[in-house]
């Protein structure tokens, strides 16, 4: 049986480079020059912490970060901006989660997209990835084409192709 895995991961070194260039841009921007706070990467928790004096500057930090992440070649949907801002003394902080792995919700979307396409493959969740198997490699390639066209809301990589 031929198979491949669907994963979603971000290269940590590329992410660190994007955050570092965003920090440099923060220091050179005139409108944000005297801002307290900044952009910090937490590698262990796989999060990015934005902090500033007000919500408007937090939005500017988000724009800077997103622009730098995209320029480094990372898909912008790998960052989860849905968290709310939390006041912390004089600063406002916002934690941005970096999506790593395919969670159950996105796994269901992927499996549903594959089943709706009527391609003769089997898909199943395995921890933080989805394994797709079939008797023919052509069917696997058709499944990959279906997923590239589908809007899952998560950057997908197709790895570990075995025949």
């Amino acid at each position: 049986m031929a198979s491949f895995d669907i994963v979603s991961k971000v290269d940590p070194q590329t992410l660190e480079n994007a955050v570092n260039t965003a920090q440099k841009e923060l220091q050179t921007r005139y409108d944000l020059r005297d801002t307290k706070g900044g952009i910090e990467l937490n590698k262990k928790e796989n999060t990015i912490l934005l902090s500033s004096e007000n919500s408007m500057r937090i939005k500017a930090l988000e724009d800077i970060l997103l622009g730098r992440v995209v320029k480094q070649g990372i898909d912008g949907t790998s960052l989860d901006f849905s968290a709310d801002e939390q006041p912390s003394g004089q600063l406002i902080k916002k934690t941005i989660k970096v999506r790593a792995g395919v969670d159950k919700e996105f796994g269901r979307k992927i499996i549903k997209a594959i089943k709706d396409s009527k391609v003769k493959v089997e898909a199943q969740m395995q921890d933080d990835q989805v394994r797709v198997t079939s008797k023919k490699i052509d069917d696997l390639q058709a499944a990959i084409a279906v997923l590239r066209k589908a809007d899952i809301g998560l950057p997908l990589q197709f790895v570990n192709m075995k025949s």
Side-chain angles (χ1 to χ4, degrees):
M1 296 276 288
S3 68
F4 70 91
D5 296 331
I6 303 169
V7 297
S8 178
K9 57 185 172 183
V10 175
D11 180 37
Q13 184 62 46
T14 308
L15 181 64
E16 185 176 0
N17 290 343
V19 170
N20 288 340
T21 54
Q23 289 171 342
K24 288 179 184 177
E25 183 177 340
L26 176 64
Q27 294 170 355
T28 60
R29 289 239 332 227
Y30 179 75
D31 57 340
L32 301 172
R33 186 173 299 159
D34 296 327
T35 305
K36 294 181 179 122
I39 302 172
E40 299 172 21
L41 175 64
N42 187 339
K43 294 179 189 177
K44 290 182 181 177
E45 295 179 14
N46 214 14
T47 59
I48 300 170
L49 179 68
L50 305 178
S51 58
S52 188
E53 289 103 9
N54 57 34
S55 296
M56 185 182 79
R57 288 190 175 162
I58 291 285
K59 293 290 183 198
L61 291 176
E62 286 178 4
D63 292 341
I64 291 170
L65 179 65
L66 187 60
R68 290 299 167 182
V69 163
V70 170
K71 282 187 180 180
Q72 289 286 336
I74 300 172
D75 194 337
T77 58
S78 62
L79 299 178
D80 184 12
F81 290 101
S82 64
D84 292 331
E85 301 168 352
Q86 301 100 11
S88 173
Q90 294 180 346
L91 295 178
I92 297 175
K93 295 183 178 183
K94 183 170 184 176
T95 303
I96 298 171
K97 189 172 178 134
V98 180
R99 294 179 178 151
V102 178
D103 61 356
K104 292 186 183 213
E105 175 189 340
F106 288 111
R108 285 189 202 111
K109 285 182 182 180
I110 291 169
I111 292 170
K112 184 177 184 325
I114 291 172
K115 286 186 178 182
D116 289 347
S117 70
K118 306 285 189 212
V119 178
K120 295 181 181 180
V121 296
E122 292 182 27
Q124 58 193 17
M125 277 294 296
Q126 292 183 344
D127 295 329
D128 61 348
Q129 64 184 12
V130 176
R131 168 128 330 148
V132 180
T133 57
S134 176
K135 293 181 181 178
K136 297 181 184 177
I137 292 180
D138 293 340
D139 292 336
L140 293 178
Q141 291 173 340
I144 290 173
V146 165
L147 290 173
R148 289 187 191 216
K149 291 179 184 174
D151 182 27
I152 303 297
L154 189 69
L156 300 176
Q157 291 90 30
F158 307 100
V159 297
N160 206 13
M161 178 78 113
K162 295 180 183 176
S163 58

